[in-house]
Amino acid sequence: MTDHIQFSAERDALLLLDQRILPGREDYFVCANTKDTIYALQTMVVRGAPAIGVTAAYGCYLAAREAAAGAGWRDNLARLLKELENARPTAVNLRWAVEKMRAAWAAEPNLDLLGLQAKWLAMAKDVHARDIEINTAMGRHGALLIDDGDTVMTHCNAGALATAGYGTALGVIRGAWEQGKKIRVIANETRPFLQGARLTAYELHKEGIPVRVACDNACALLMQRGMVQKVVVGADRIAANGDAANKIGTFGVALLARHFGVPFYVAAPASTFDLSMPPGAAIPIEERTPREVTHVGEHQITPPGVDVFNYAFDVTLSELLTGIVTEHGVLRAPYRENIAAIIGAKES
Ligand code: MRU
């Protein structure tokens, strides 16, 4: 699945498969400017760290198309990039993509606006295409960690939909499946946005990879009964010491995996590492609208006037990780040293 993020030259716009309404309907949302792109990111038309990065890269191009209107296109553009960069706080791929574009602009400050637009569109297409290659490489490395007959649990959706294609955690699962391993997947439903129940189940089922959805709170029972052999999840930001922010509930799954002796892997590309963030406790955690918790669809499930928590992410301590799968191979403890050596060296 790679057609969920498309750049249409004809419409000069970004087309995004609307993940808010999957699996019921397959409709595209059109981003023609920065406002549309920020709206798509914030309402989760598109979500998942690498997909957010790819969208932001195209978003920079759309911002450059828009910047001509009004005096001082450079100032206009700088302001639009700032707004885009702040659309969501946790997934570092958003900032990574915008910074990549800024750096290219800074390297050629005399480019005129048309020149910059052409450069950024080409760069966005490259980020888009590279992401699929990166995920495929991650799948190749990660597949070796999965045994024939394993049942693999995953939390949230770190699949094709969360990337440009193939997926990170689901890339590892796809890699193992493509090697002919007879595996099964447990998709935790992932309250409140239900990325597991709606999106992970949707893409695996479509490809014939056996998947079964479990309520988030079934995790302990399933592990206690020996029904889970591996856990593989994605990440939104990985600190320099290996602490990994991912969808709320991931930390609990990791604690249970440690208790029951189930290997727990994170799969994420180099662009998800934030080496400026020494411990994971400093990673900003997005708080989303209470409505996602108080309502199921149009139906309110909590008494009116009762407050709720809606933290969208938590941070799994690196001591709970069995390994981090990247496009450069599988990183193991000691994470601080190995991340600096592998990711630090590739990114600098
Ligand atoms: O709020 P979301 O749906 O953007 O959160 C997504 C996740 O937590 C994913 O697991 C993570 O971004 C990795 S995606 C390859």
Side-chain angles (χ1 to χ4, degrees):
M1 181 190 291
T2 52
D3 55 0
H4 55 291
I5 303 179
Q6 300 172 26
F7 182 78
S8 161
E10 217 171 61
R11 299 172 74 165
D12 200 17
L14 182 64
L15 310 186
L16 299 169
L17 182 63
D18 192 340
Q19 299 191 29
R20 296 171 302 176
I21 52 174
L22 287 175
R25 265 191 301 139
E26 295 181 356
D27 270 353
Y28 281 83
F29 180 89
V30 180
C31 298
N33 54 39
T34 315
K35 195 163 159 246
D36 297 340
T37 312
I38 292 174
Y39 176 85
L41 290 166
Q42 291 184 334
T43 60
M44 310 232 272
V45 167
V46 62
R47 29 68 47 205
I52 289 172
V54 172
T55 301
Y58 284 114
C60 290
Y61 162 74
L62 294 174
R65 296 275 299 130
E66 199 179 333
W73 68 265
R74 286 189 169 77
D75 289 347
N76 284 343
L77 186 51
R79 179 181 45 79
L80 291 171
L81 294 192
K82 197 89 219 134
E83 286 171 17
L84 181 62
E85 181 177 48
N86 291 327
R88 288 190 74 186
T90 305
V92 75
N93 306 59
L94 174 53
R95 195 186 74 200
W96 171 86
V98 175
E99 276 181 359
K100 197 176 172 69
M101 299 297 178
R102 270 202 198 106
W105 185 13
E108 287 184 85
N110 295 329
L111 267 185
D112 62 11
L113 187 52
L114 281 182
L116 189 62
Q117 286 165 6
K119 184 174 188 68
W120 279 0
L121 182 56
M123 282 177 69
K125 287 181 176 169
D126 186 56
V127 166
H128 190 170
R130 262 296 284 152
D131 189 59
I132 302 178
E133 290 168 17
I134 286 169
N135 294 328
T136 313
M138 225 181 298
R140 248 193 334 268
H141 295 301
L144 302 173
L145 306 169
I146 309 293
D147 294 313
D148 194 23
D150 276 356
T151 294
V152 183
M153 175 178 278
T154 189
H155 193 78
C156 194
N157 170 264
L161 288 166
T163 62
Y166 205 71
T168 58
L170 295 196
V172 169
I173 287 166
R174 284 192 168 91
W177 181 256
E178 284 164 11
Q179 286 179 354
K181 291 176 182 163
K182 298 271 171 290
I183 56 173
R184 299 180 168 274
V185 179
I186 294 175
N188 290 341
E189 67 174 345
T190 320
R191 271 278 292 160
F193 200 69
L194 303 176
Q195 288 93 332
R198 297 188 303 108
L199 309 175
T200 297
Y202 165 82
E203 54 174 277
L204 293 179
H205 186 63
K206 219 171 169 159
E207 287 174 33
I209 301 177
V211 58
R212 198 160 172 180
V213 173
C215 296
D216 296 328
N217 44 14
C219 181
L221 178 80
L222 297 175
M223 287 189 182
Q224 188 183 41
R225 292 193 167 184
M227 293 164 76
V228 182
Q229 280 70 52
K230 307 275 158 51
V231 179
V232 188
V233 298
D236 286 81
R237 193 186 297 222
I238 301 178
N241 69 348
D243 291 349
N246 191 49
K247 182 51 54 191
I248 188 81
T250 304
F251 183 27
V253 175
L255 286 164
L256 289 168
R258 170 58 54 91
H259 180 82
F260 290 109
V262 176
F264 184 99
Y265 296 99
V266 168
S271 55
T272 298
F273 287 76
D274 183 357
L275 303 191
S276 72
M277 191 74 43
I283 296 175
I285 301 293
E286 178 179 11
E287 282 185 72
R288 295 186 57 78
T289 169
R291 200 186 153 90
E292 288 177 354
V293 176
T294 57
H295 286 66
V296 173
E298 291 307 306
H299 182 68
Q300 181 155 4
I301 56 168
T302 53
V306 171
D307 277 346
V308 299
F309 292 106
N310 193 9
Y311 292 108
F313 300 95
D314 58 25
V315 179
T316 299
L317 303 176
S318 59
E319 67 205 44
L320 298 173
L321 308 183
T322 311
I324 306 177
V325 183
T326 75
E327 66 270 39
H328 307 301
V330 181
L331 304 180
R332 307 273 185 178
Y335 289 107
R336 187 180 297 282
E337 290 78 351
N338 291 338
I339 288 172
I342 305 296
I343 306 296
K346 302 278 180 195
E347 290 295 279
S348 56

